Amino acid sequence: MKLIRSRLFIGAFIAALAGCELPPRDQAGVTQQALQTSDDSDAALANEEYVMVTTAVSMPMYVNHDQAAFKRWGEKMGVKTSILGPADWDVPAQINTIEEVIGTRPTGLLINGTDPAIAQAIDKAVAAGIPTVVYDSDIPSSRRHAFLGTNWYEIGRMQGEEMARLIGGKGKVAYMGILGLNNMEDGFRGLLDVFKRYPNIEVVGKFDDKANVETAARLTADLLAAHPDMAGICGFDSNSGPGIALAVKEAGKAGTVKITTVDWEPEHLRLVKEGVIQMLAGQKRELFTWYGAQFLYDMVHRTNKLSGNDALAGINSVPNTVNTGLLRITKENVNQFLLP
């Protein structure tokens, strides 16, 4: 990490010393120089570097899905890929990383939309003429060129419909996740919109588990103590499900208290197979970063020309927003997702 940061600092320092104006950009914010000089020769591609910037860079879900797909894409295309960001969930550190990377002039930037606060850093990248794509959660207030991710309102609706079916449309339920994040708040709204149709479902609380297994387990244990007749709990971050399941198992209520949650890491899948978790709303995370990187490449290489001169026409030649869809994983199909 020290070597990476030194490289970023040196790149930014050299750019500052140069004191020259930024290359001219088209109306989509991509440098004309990058577009005019790009080609598909092996030598040219080997010099292209596409950079992913996230937070919690070592989170298993990110490593196993987002980052693995991004690396595979780079190997297939014959270009360099780099993955940068803080080890923990640290949005200010992610912002600092984005701003440092801008100084190195990467070919394209693929940014995890962790928090609305990163909008200004995204705008700086676009203003610098760097093709910039956001994935996972949109930052609609930014000038990003494209977004790929899941419709979180639909994640909430999927969980709500499944939970209502599992508990027969009646009983006490609760839900938890990371409060305040745009995507999760959308998910909460979808969940509650479903429950509005079931007057016999009582929502007893909304809780912040801070994406921490231990916190989710503690919150669940407290809920079960306060409400021995709890019917079901819904989770909205990758660590919600394992934490909820841990407390439900310890209370001896596995299968009695129904659980729906997001994501499909090996632990989640095992808990479904055991019958502790009843349904997973899985995101197609590999699609976020594979096609997000491809969008960056297509912008640089002008793969699809939509007019005589897209730059003069102010046309962005990649889709503005892509909903990658959802996976519904239950005990009936979980074996298809478990590794041999």
Side-chain angles (χ1 to χ4, degrees), residues 1 54 84 86 112 178 190 249 266 273 282 297 324:
M1 180 57 75
T54 182
L84 302 175
N112 188 349
I178 306 172
K249 287 175 70 175
K273 190 172 179 66
Y297 181 95
T324 52

Side-chain angles (χ1 to χ4, degrees), residues 218-232:
R218 177 180 54 78
L219 289 169
T220 302
D222 291 345
L223 274 167
L224 296 178
H227 303 279
D229 56 345
M230 179 70 65

Side-chain angles (χ1 to χ4, degrees), residues 11-186:
F13 183 67
I14 292 172
L17 284 179
C20 59
E21 295 182 359
L22 291 173
R25 298 181 293 274
D26 67 15
Q27 294 184 39
V30 181
T31 57
Q32 293 287 342
Q33 182 179 2
L35 294 176
Q36 290 167 2
T37 60
S38 63
D39 63 66
D40 295 325
S41 67
D42 290 344
L45 291 177
N47 289 323
E48 292 187 6
E49 183 177 14
Y50 296 82
V51 179
M52 172 190 288
V53 182
T54 182
T55 191
V57 72
S58 57
M59 182 186 294
M61 179 180 69
Y62 290 171
V63 173
N64 297 335
H65 299 279
D66 312 12
Q67 296 171 24
F70 182 58
K71 289 177 180 178
R72 284 192 293 105
W73 174 85
E75 292 168 0
K76 177 179 174 60
M77 301 302 292
V79 300
K80 297 176 184 176
T81 56
S82 298
I83 300 166
L84 302 175
D88 300 318
W89 189 273
D90 186 341
V91 173
Q94 184 191 15
I95 292 170
N96 290 338
T97 303
I98 295 170
E99 293 180 344
E100 289 175 342
V101 171
I102 291 170
T104 70
R105 310 290 303 170
T107 308
L109 264 175
L110 188 60
I111 298 175
N112 188 349
T114 54
D115 190 278
I118 71 174
Q120 187 174 3
I122 292 170
D123 289 351
K124 288 179 181 178
V126 174
I130 301 170
T132 304
V133 169
V134 171
Y135 71 94
D136 197 357
S137 182
D138 198 6
I139 309 295
S141 61
S142 75
R143 295 172 55 206
R144 79 335 181 241
H145 294 110
F147 164 71
L148 300 91
T150 308
N151 184 325
W152 274 78
Y153 180 81
E154 290 304 318
I155 286 181
R157 285 188 56 82
M158 177 183 281
Q159 290 206 61
E161 296 287 1
E162 186 72 12
M163 183 58 72
R165 185 187 68 79
L166 288 167
I167 64 176
K170 61 183 179 181
K172 293 179 179 179
V173 298
Y175 60 102
M176 63 183 67
I178 306 172
L179 305 192
L181 289 187
N182 286 347
N183 57 348
M184 293 202 189
E185 293 295 339
D186 287 343

